[in-house]
Amino acid sequence: MPQYQAPLPDFQFLLRDWLGLDEHYQKLGLHDFDFALANDVLSQGAKFATDVVAPLNREGDEQGCKLQNGAVTTPDGFADAYREYVANGWNAMLGEEEYGGQALPYTMAVPIHEMLNAANLSWRLTTMLTESTVLAVSRHATEELKAHYLAKLISGEWTGTMNLTEPQAGSDLALLTTKAQPQEDGSYSITGNKIFITGGDHDWTENIIHMVLARLPDAPAGVKGISLFLVPKFLVTETGEPGEANAVSVGSIEHKMGIKASPTCVMNYDNAKGWLIGEPHQGLACMFTMMNDARFQVGMQGLGAAEASYQGALAYARDRRQSRAPQGIQQPEEKADAIIFQPDVARMLLTQKALTEGCRALSLFYAKHMDIEKHGSDSKKAEAKPVLQFLTPVCKAFMTDMGLEVCSLGIQVFGGHGYIREWGMEQLMRDVRIAQIYEGTNGIQAADLIGRKLTRDKGEIMQATFTAFHELTTAIQEPELQSRAQTLLNDWCATSTECLTMSATDAAAAAHDYLAFTAYSLIGVLWYSMASKAQESEDGSIAKGKMNTCAFYEARILPRRDAHKAAMITGAETILSVSDSEFDYLP
Amino acid sequence: MPQYQAPLPDFQFLLRDWLGLDEHYQKLGLHDFDFALANDVLSQGAKFATDVVAPLNREGDEQGCKLQNGAVTTPDGFADAYREYVANGWNAMLGEEEYGGQALPYTMAVPIHEMLNAANLSWRLTTMLTESTVLAVSRHATEELKAHYLAKLISGEWTGTMNLTEPQAGSDLALLTTKAQPQEDGSYSITGNKIFITGGDHDWTENIIHMVLARLPDAPAGVKGISLFLVPKFLVTETGEPGEANAVSVGSIEHKMGIKASPTCVMNYDNAKGWLIGEPHQGLACMFTMMNDARFQVGMQGLGAAEASYQGALAYARDRRQSRAPQGIQQPEEKADAIIFQPDVARMLLTQKALTEGCRALSLFYAKHMDIEKHGSDSKKAEAKPVLQFLTPVCKAFMTDMGLEVCSLGIQVFGGHGYIREWGMEQLMRDVRIAQIYEGTNGIQAADLIGRKLTRDKGEIMQATFTAFHELTTAIQEPELQSRAQTLLNDWCATSTECLTMSATDAAAAAHDYLAFTAYSLIGVLWYSMASKAQESEDGSIAKGKMNTCAFYEARILPRRDAHKAAMITGAETILSVSDSEFDYLP
């Protein structure tokens, strides 16, 4: 597998031409930012991702993490790369300036995230969760807690974790039992066991800040009785340095299918000292500040892995020569043609490409709306927020499902070599498989989309999303592309509106297919929009490549949308009519 | 993950009722066989697979194989289980009676193969290739070679391997360079390197018989210059015992994504002594005797892994309690309902079930035609042969693609635990991933189906397949089911006929989608047929379960067929119009 290269030409086209970054920043009053700066940041980020992070990926998988004497060590080079990341300020990209952050727009940070994920999913994961921790502390913690923790989380001097899952409480947080006992000094004593804690311990930093969900003694049952606590690995002294060890320990680390270089810990809290974040019993809402960010970021993992797999497959298909192409000899000077000329191999590569570039456009469309939600006028903020609410589960679930498909195709292009660890293609598939599960399984995302985002507000959030995409279609210059985009979008909106009358049970049964139907539809709109904009490009490969890939998407990917539509309107009956003994015919 | 259990009730329904095994054997004059005997063999096979083979699977993955001092060792217990398999006569199931085989019908052996695959893909693989070796020796070798090798391969005293791939020659065997030099004693001196050789060495038997493709000195270039040779690890003495070591060595063993307990070897032949099998330059045809069998058997690996994953997911979904079902509280005495009551979880389980049981029916339909091809009258043989030719690539590719999907769904039902190695669900996905690649990638299968099986004979083989399925539909008692089955089958036939006029390039571009379109169509016909037959069953769970799963297949799986149809008729243009620089926009 060749060295990962950041797809800079595509980022440049998408940000400069398609998204219109200069105008976007101007409209938001972000006068310190423009495409030229973004492009510079992209180049630096690309250099860091390719030169520092990517080379650790293969060996990290082989070495994995180790737990010895209660402390976790990560593979060779991981801690050094992290320190370089922190020293270069990358960890602070999104943090508030007041606490030493750079407050970069999301449209600049999101491409960097994609690159880091593509370079090394395991390595990126811990920094991703620190960013989420920063969000939760920044929005919900007291000024005192912020003063103690925020600057060091933003700089990356310390990392953060999310502690939700317990053995009996995964998708259903109502069942969690970790307890928080108020102490006289205003702190809380936290006791319980958490599982699947990414970065629960490591050898990167002097302290780790755990965000822990637990119940206060007077907590009502269920999800309305959950509070959020900040629990440091080492208690922080008055001068802000790590001091006495807190009663937090790592029980074990998990043996996983992939992301082996990321330590996934069982965490034990045994009367550990913690501090309340936000109001009592409002922990879930506070955690969702992290969670929504983390969900989009997990979607970005799918995208990153997909890009890495596509690059590997493309390089191999250009290099590997087997048989002659059915359309005629392509490389007469060679004994056989490169397999990229085989229509079925090109089909696999273009499936990878159309899905990956489509999802990249989706991620930047999402990032643009994050910028607007943060910096726009009140009315613009109000327009952007529902778009983000609607698209979060779509990005998380579709981009990770897509990631698995694309990484599996990457293996297939390699043939037998794709199955051999040394080539790195199978690692991408193993690594990305978790992304469909964590931060809410893709089934949970689908239920969120159809149950909360679509139906709860009687379609308002969906309509806001329609409006945002409709605006995109009105800007399409090419009349034929515009007409197709609008037909597709209108059909999606009409079908979504029909779903509003579904019963809760039918909606739950339709959830998976509605999410996929939505994603294929909206990414179709993005493809028409990209293809039209690319026609204005002076770069012939962009102009023709986007147009041709759009045609491929329309002909060969978009039909899946109809299959999902057909499945989702059949109701819950064909699912719920199967009773217990009919599953396996055993008495 | 619970212990694998053979799905005996489904096998019994399919063999006794759906396939009509007693009548099938009577028609073929196989008077020694009936369903009662088959059922007894099934029970014994189930016991062996579950008690002996399955318990080795998880630990086998962790231990893997080792190469030390030129010899391969397999994980603890693997060799013992093999010896028990051989001692109990399982290896001889399909062998000719003249050489000590039991000559069981395929309809009895194929369910055993499914069970062994479900129990332990790695372990099964070596015995599978021995069966293929038996076929090639039995059909193409001289009587003298047969006398030396066949009985010991059939009993399992020795195992067999297939040596096709070389570093530069994978899908394109025309490029292979291994050389065979005729010797004065009538043997040949074989020199070359082969890669990806399953069971190339192991600690199970005293000898290993390699089937090796190589070129004679006077060989024409390309695939018409390839001959097949039998190359034993140890030269066989006049008394038939392993004697002097042959010049065959293991260069290394591969580090793989899965099937880690199966040794995948780089084999070096350095003037090794071998004997010609079949005619000079006819090696590919001889190898295809093995290959066609091996392709169907690889499809069976997809099916076996799918069944194992489904069983794991079903047990977990019945046991794991999270949240309440949207259709109402199901288990009021518990804090939450079992997740099987969540419509989206049931959707995943039923997708697994509908695909797995559909493919099981396909595998037994195929086995029935193998029985006919072997034992039927000449006219019946002539009818069965094209059906097998047509269905071989369908079984190989679709059942392995299906295997990956089902195993991935199994992980998803488990949530985070699915990603943890100890549970065994992720191993199934890693193990089954190779099946889409070896014995001809699924892309090669698709090209074979549309290029050779469909178009080369102007649709004759396809028409014979249509006739076989049409016969099945005429036996459907339920008029509504019959009508749907015939509509589906007729549409498939009409669409296939339209494909006959495609150019070679368009066909190559359509290949993948045509294969999937075909499989979803034909398995749909099998589902209608099963559902109708199940209505006559006295077993309520069979009667209702098959009917309800058929309804699920029709509502939620069959629509995929239309997406593949829509994609395949769009021609090669959207694939071939993308030129080199447009793939990555790099200059």
Side-chain angles (χ1 to χ4, degrees):
Chain A
M1 195 180 164
Q3 174 73 52
Y4 165 71
Q5 297 295 326
L8 293 178
D10 198 33
F11 278 128
Q12 288 156 352
F13 162 71
L14 289 171
L15 291 173
R16 180 189 53 218
D17 304 329
W18 182 65
L19 219 64
L21 207 61
D22 283 338
E23 193 187 335
H24 169 65
Y25 291 152
Q26 286 300 316
K27 274 188 185 169
L28 295 176
L30 296 170
H31 302 296
D32 291 346
F33 298 99
D34 59 11
F35 171 73
L37 176 62
N39 197 30
D40 193 44
V41 171
L42 282 188
S43 302
Q44 298 294 325
K47 204 168 146 47
F48 182 78
T50 54
D51 294 354
V52 180
V53 184
L56 305 174
N57 192 39
R58 187 75 274 290
E59 183 59 23
D61 180 65
E62 294 295 334
Q63 287 187 19
C65 296
K66 289 180 186 66
L67 173 65
Q68 282 170 324
N69 305 322
V72 171
T73 49
T74 56
D76 295 346
F78 272 56
D80 288 341
Y82 178 74
R83 283 168 203 137
E84 190 172 340
Y85 180 79
V86 169
N88 291 353
W90 292 111
N91 202 73
M93 274 192 298
L94 288 167
E96 293 168 48
E97 288 177 304
E98 188 186 345
Y99 294 94
Q102 298 166 29
L104 293 193
Y106 289 101
T107 38
M108 287 172 65
V110 164
I112 305 293
H113 292 154
E114 184 197 310
M115 293 176 198
L116 295 173
N117 284 320
N120 194 327
L121 273 189
S122 282
W123 185 89
R124 160 66 182 150
L125 198 48
T126 296
T127 66
M128 181 193 117
L129 288 166
T130 303
E131 288 173 17
S132 301
T133 305
V134 165
L135 274 185
V137 172
S138 160
R139 295 206 192 154
H140 301 291
T142 61
E143 291 304 321
E144 196 187 340
L145 284 175
K146 283 196 202 179
H148 269 87
Y149 295 96
L150 205 45
K152 295 198 173 177
L153 285 166
I154 285 174
S155 70
E157 191 172 331
W158 300 342
T159 64
T161 74
M162 291 173 73
N163 290 239
L164 287 76
T165 306
E166 299 176 7
Q168 78 293 349
S171 297
D172 185 3
L173 291 173
L175 301 175
L176 74 80
T177 60
T178 295
K179 287 186 172 31
Q181 196 70 37
Q183 304 296 298
E184 287 187 357
D185 65 356
S187 72
Y188 294 81
S189 176
I190 313 287
T191 300
N193 301 305
K194 296 285 181 178
I195 61 171
F196 300 150
I197 307 309
T198 296
D201 194 45
H202 55 67
D203 49 3
W204 294 10
T205 56
E206 289 187 344
N207 209 356
I208 300 172
I209 310 306
H210 304 290
M211 306 298 286
V212 184
L213 289 184
R215 289 186 188 283
L216 290 166
D218 61 342
V223 292
K224 290 178 180 165
I226 298 172
S227 305
L228 180 63
F229 299 89
L230 180 156
V231 185
K233 177 180 175 182
F234 290 99
L235 299 171
V236 177
T237 64
E238 288 195 358
T239 59
E241 296 309 307
E244 187 188 340
N246 203 351
V248 181
S249 61
V250 181
S252 59
I253 54 175
E254 303 285 1
H255 305 108
K256 307 188 298 293
M257 181 184 201
I259 54 165
K260 294 185 181 183
S262 169
T264 307
C265 301
V266 172
M267 300 300 295
N268 300 324
Y269 296 89
D270 186 14
N271 285 315
K273 206 177 183 77
W275 288 269
L276 185 68
I277 300 277
E279 298 298 311
H281 317 317
Q282 298 297 316
L284 213 60
C286 299
M287 193 54 115
F288 260 94
T289 303
M290 300 175 73
M291 191 68 121
N292 278 328
D293 179 64
R295 285 179 172 180
F296 173 68
Q297 295 297 344
V298 170
M300 292 302 295
Q301 296 184 324
L303 174 56
E307 172 65 27
S309 181
Y310 173 57
Q311 289 190 14
L314 179 59
Y316 188 81
R318 281 170 167 162
D319 187 57
R320 174 80 170 168
R321 292 193 177 85
Q322 296 283 282
S323 305
R324 292 299 182 187
Q327 64 273 29
I329 292 174
Q330 304 289 316
Q331 298 174 308
E333 72 286 3
E334 304 286 348
K335 284 186 183 170
D337 295 329
I339 60 172
I340 195 172
F341 296 110
Q342 291 291 334
D344 192 61
V345 173
R347 174 194 64 79
M348 292 193 277
L349 292 169
L350 288 168
T351 302
Q352 293 185 297
K353 180 180 198 282
L355 289 171
T356 304
E357 291 182 14
C359 285
R360 180 173 298 130
L362 178 64
S363 76
L364 296 176
F365 186 80
Y366 188 97
K368 180 180 174 181
H369 284 82
M370 285 204 287
D371 284 349
I372 298 170
E373 196 205 16
K374 189 167 180 189
H375 301 287
S377 63
D378 285 352
S379 68
K380 286 289 172 194
K381 280 181 181 172
E383 282 171 25
K385 191 177 173 187
V387 178
L388 294 171
Q389 287 177 315
F390 193 86
L391 291 181
T392 298
V394 176
C395 288
K396 195 281 179 180
F398 185 78
M399 285 163 65
T400 58
D401 285 350
M402 176 293 290
L404 185 76
E405 177 181 351
V406 169
C407 291
S408 188
L409 284 170
I411 290 176
Q412 198 67 19
V413 170
F414 267 69
H417 298 288
Y419 199 67
I420 305 299
R421 292 215 301 272
E422 282 81 347
W423 288 88
M425 299 300 285
E426 62 84 38
Q427 182 190 344
L428 291 170
M429 184 169 175
R430 285 188 289 105
D431 283 353
V432 81
R433 183 63 187 82
I434 188 58
Q436 297 171 291
I437 298 172
Y438 59 20
E439 306 302 344
T441 64
N442 286 1
I444 296 285
Q445 305 302 321
D448 177 50
L449 180 68
I450 201 166
R452 291 201 198 91
K453 306 303 168 57
L454 177 64
T455 54
R456 199 168 59 180
D457 303 316
K458 303 195 174 66
E460 275 186 32
I461 293 177
M462 182 274 290
Q463 280 291 345
T465 308
F466 170 80
T467 303
F469 278 85
H470 184 74
E471 196 180 310
L472 209 60
T473 66
T474 58
I476 295 178
Q477 297 293 314
E478 172 80 51
E480 178 60 30
L481 291 174
Q482 185 183 55
S483 158
R484 291 185 194 189
Q486 292 186 340
T487 302
L488 182 59
L489 185 63
N490 290 338
D491 179 78
W492 169 74
C493 186
T495 306
S496 297
T497 305
E498 283 169 28
C499 291
L500 292 175
T501 57
M502 277 185 181
S503 72
T505 308
D506 281 344
H512 163 80
D513 288 296
Y514 177 71
L515 191 146
F517 166 74
T518 293
Y520 285 118
S521 301
L522 298 182
I523 290 173
V525 174
L526 297 179
W527 264 115
Y528 290 123
S529 167
M530 282 193 283
S532 171
K533 181 56 73 177
Q535 301 319 294
E536 302 163 21
S537 174
E538 286 170 13
D539 179 334
S541 2
I542 286 284
K544 285 183 59 195
K546 288 287 178 193
M547 195 67 195
N548 286 333
T549 311
C550 178
F552 178 88
Y553 184 89
E554 183 183 54
R556 301 211 164 235
I557 306 287
L558 204 49
R560 300 179 183 184
R561 171 186 167 277
D562 302 307
H564 289 291
K565 186 175 171 179
M568 83 191 189
I569 58 177
T570 57
E573 198 193 328
T574 55
I575 290 176
L576 297 181
S577 62
V578 179
S579 65
D580 196 61
S581 70
E582 295 165 32
F583 276 98
D584 50 8
Y585 315 120
L586 292 174
Chain B
M1 197 178 163
Q3 173 73 53
Y4 165 72
Q5 297 295 325
L8 293 177
D10 197 32
F11 278 129
Q12 288 156 351
F13 162 71
L14 290 171
L15 291 174
R16 180 188 53 218
D17 304 330
W18 181 65
L19 220 63
L21 208 60
D22 283 338
E23 193 188 335
H24 169 64
Y25 290 154
Q26 286 299 316
K27 274 188 186 167
L28 294 176
L30 296 170
H31 302 297
D32 292 345
F33 298 99
D34 60 11
F35 172 72
L37 177 62
N39 199 30
D40 193 43
V41 171
L42 283 188
S43 303
Q44 299 293 326
K47 205 168 145 48
F48 183 79
T50 55
D51 294 353
V52 179
V53 183
L56 304 174
N57 192 39
R58 186 77 273 288
E59 184 58 23
D61 180 65
E62 295 295 333
Q63 286 187 21
C65 296
K66 289 180 186 66
L67 174 65
Q68 282 171 325
N69 305 322
V72 171
T73 50
T74 57
D76 295 347
F78 272 56
D80 288 341
Y82 178 74
R83 283 167 203 139
E84 191 172 340
Y85 179 79
V86 169
N88 291 351
W90 292 110
N91 203 73
M93 275 193 297
L94 288 166
E96 293 169 47
E97 287 176 305
E98 189 186 344
Y99 294 94
Q102 298 166 29
L104 293 193
Y106 290 101
T107 37
M108 286 172 64
V110 164
I112 306 292
H113 291 154
E114 184 197 309
M115 294 176 197
L116 295 173
N117 284 320
N120 194 326
L121 274 189
S122 282
W123 184 89
R124 160 65 182 151
L125 199 48
T126 296
T127 66
M128 181 193 116
L129 288 166
T130 303
E131 290 173 17
S132 302
T133 305
V134 165
L135 274 185
V137 172
S138 161
R139 295 206 191 154
H140 302 291
T142 61
E143 291 304 319
E144 196 187 340
L145 284 175
K146 282 196 203 180
H148 269 85
Y149 295 97
L150 205 45
K152 295 197 173 180
L153 285 166
I154 286 174
S155 70
E157 191 173 332
W158 300 342
T159 64
T161 74
M162 291 172 74
N163 290 239
L164 286 76
T165 306
E166 299 176 6
Q168 78 293 350
S171 297
D172 185 2
L173 291 173
L175 302 175
L176 74 80
T177 59
T178 295
K179 287 188 173 29
Q181 196 69 37
Q183 304 297 298
E184 287 188 357
D185 65 356
S187 72
Y188 294 81
S189 176
I190 313 287
T191 300
N193 301 306
K194 296 285 181 177
I195 61 171
F196 301 150
I197 309 308
T198 297
D201 194 43
H202 54 67
D203 48 5
W204 294 9
T205 56
E206 290 187 341
N207 209 355
I208 300 172
I209 310 306
H210 304 290
M211 306 297 287
V212 183
L213 288 185
R215 289 186 189 282
L216 291 166
D218 61 342
V223 292
K224 291 178 181 166
I226 298 172
S227 305
L228 179 63
F229 299 89
L230 182 156
V231 185
K233 176 179 175 183
F234 291 100
L235 298 172
V236 177
T237 65
E238 290 196 358
T239 61
E241 297 307 307
E244 188 188 340
N246 204 351
V248 180
S249 61
V250 181
S252 59
I253 54 175
E254 302 286 359
H255 305 107
K256 307 188 297 294
M257 181 184 202
I259 56 164
K260 294 184 181 183
S262 169
T264 306
C265 301
V266 172
M267 300 298 296
N268 300 325
Y269 296 89
D270 186 15
N271 285 317
K273 206 176 184 73
W275 288 269
L276 184 68
I277 300 277
E279 297 298 309
H281 317 318
Q282 298 297 316
L284 213 60
C286 298
M287 194 55 117
F288 260 94
T289 302
M290 301 175 72
M291 191 68 124
N292 278 327
D293 180 64
R295 285 179 171 180
F296 174 69
Q297 295 297 344
V298 169
M300 292 302 296
Q301 297 184 324
L303 174 56
E307 172 65 27
S309 180
Y310 173 57
Q311 289 190 15
L314 180 59
Y316 188 80
R318 281 169 167 162
D319 187 57
R320 173 81 171 168
R321 291 193 177 84
Q322 295 282 282
S323 305
R324 292 297 183 189
Q327 65 273 30
I329 292 175
Q330 304 289 315
Q331 298 174 309
E333 71 287 1
E334 304 286 350
K335 283 186 183 171
D337 295 329
I339 60 172
I340 195 173
F341 295 110
Q342 291 290 335
D344 191 61
V345 174
R347 174 193 64 79
M348 291 193 277
L349 292 170
L350 288 168
T351 302
Q352 293 185 296
K353 180 180 198 282
L355 288 171
T356 304
E357 291 182 14
C359 284
R360 181 173 297 130
L362 178 64
S363 76
L364 296 176
F365 185 81
Y366 187 96
K368 180 181 175 181
H369 285 81
M370 285 204 288
D371 284 350
I372 298 170
E373 196 205 17
K374 188 166 180 188
H375 301 287
S377 64
D378 285 353
S379 69
K380 287 289 172 194
K381 280 180 180 172
E383 281 172 28
K385 192 179 174 186
V387 178
L388 295 171
Q389 289 178 315
F390 193 87
L391 291 181
T392 298
V394 177
C395 288
K396 195 282 179 179
F398 186 78
M399 285 164 66
T400 58
D401 285 351
M402 175 294 288
L404 185 77
E405 177 181 351
V406 168
C407 290
S408 188
L409 284 170
I411 291 177
Q412 198 67 18
V413 170
F414 267 70
H417 298 287
Y419 199 66
I420 306 298
R421 293 216 300 272
E422 282 82 345
W423 288 87
M425 298 300 285
E426 62 84 36
Q427 182 190 344
L428 291 170
M429 185 170 174
R430 285 188 288 106
D431 283 352
V432 82
R433 183 63 187 82
I434 187 57
Q436 298 171 291
I437 298 171
Y438 58 20
E439 307 302 343
T441 64
N442 287 1
I444 295 286
Q445 305 301 321
D448 177 50
L449 180 69
I450 202 165
R452 289 199 200 93
K453 306 304 167 60
L454 177 64
T455 54
R456 200 168 56 179
D457 303 317
K458 304 196 173 66
E460 273 186 32
I461 293 177
M462 183 273 289
Q463 280 290 345
T465 308
F466 170 80
T467 303
F469 279 84
H470 185 74
E471 196 180 309
L472 209 60
T473 66
T474 58
I476 294 178
Q477 296 294 315
E478 172 79 52
E480 178 60 30
L481 292 174
Q482 186 184 53
S483 158
R484 292 185 195 189
Q486 292 186 341
T487 303
L488 182 59
L489 186 62
N490 290 338
D491 178 77
W492 169 74
C493 185
T495 306
S496 297
T497 305
E498 284 168 29
C499 291
L500 291 175
T501 58
M502 278 185 180
S503 72
T505 308
D506 282 343
H512 162 81
D513 288 296
Y514 176 70
L515 191 147
F517 165 75
T518 294
Y520 285 118
S521 301
L522 298 182
I523 290 172
V525 174
L526 296 179
W527 263 114
Y528 291 123
S529 167
M530 282 192 284
S532 171
K533 182 55 76 177
Q535 301 317 295
E536 302 163 20
S537 173
E538 287 170 12
D539 179 336
S541 8
I542 287 284
K544 284 182 60 193
K546 288 288 176 191
M547 195 67 196
N548 286 333
T549 311
C550 177
F552 178 88
Y553 184 89
E554 183 183 54
R556 300 208 164 240
I557 306 286
L558 204 48
R560 299 179 184 185
R561 174 186 165 275
D562 301 308
H564 289 291
K565 186 175 171 178
M568 83 191 188
I569 58 177
T570 57
E573 199 192 327
T574 56
I575 290 176
L576 297 181
S577 62
V578 179
S579 66
D580 195 61
S581 70
E582 296 165 32
F583 276 97
D584 50 8
Y585 314 121
L586 292 174

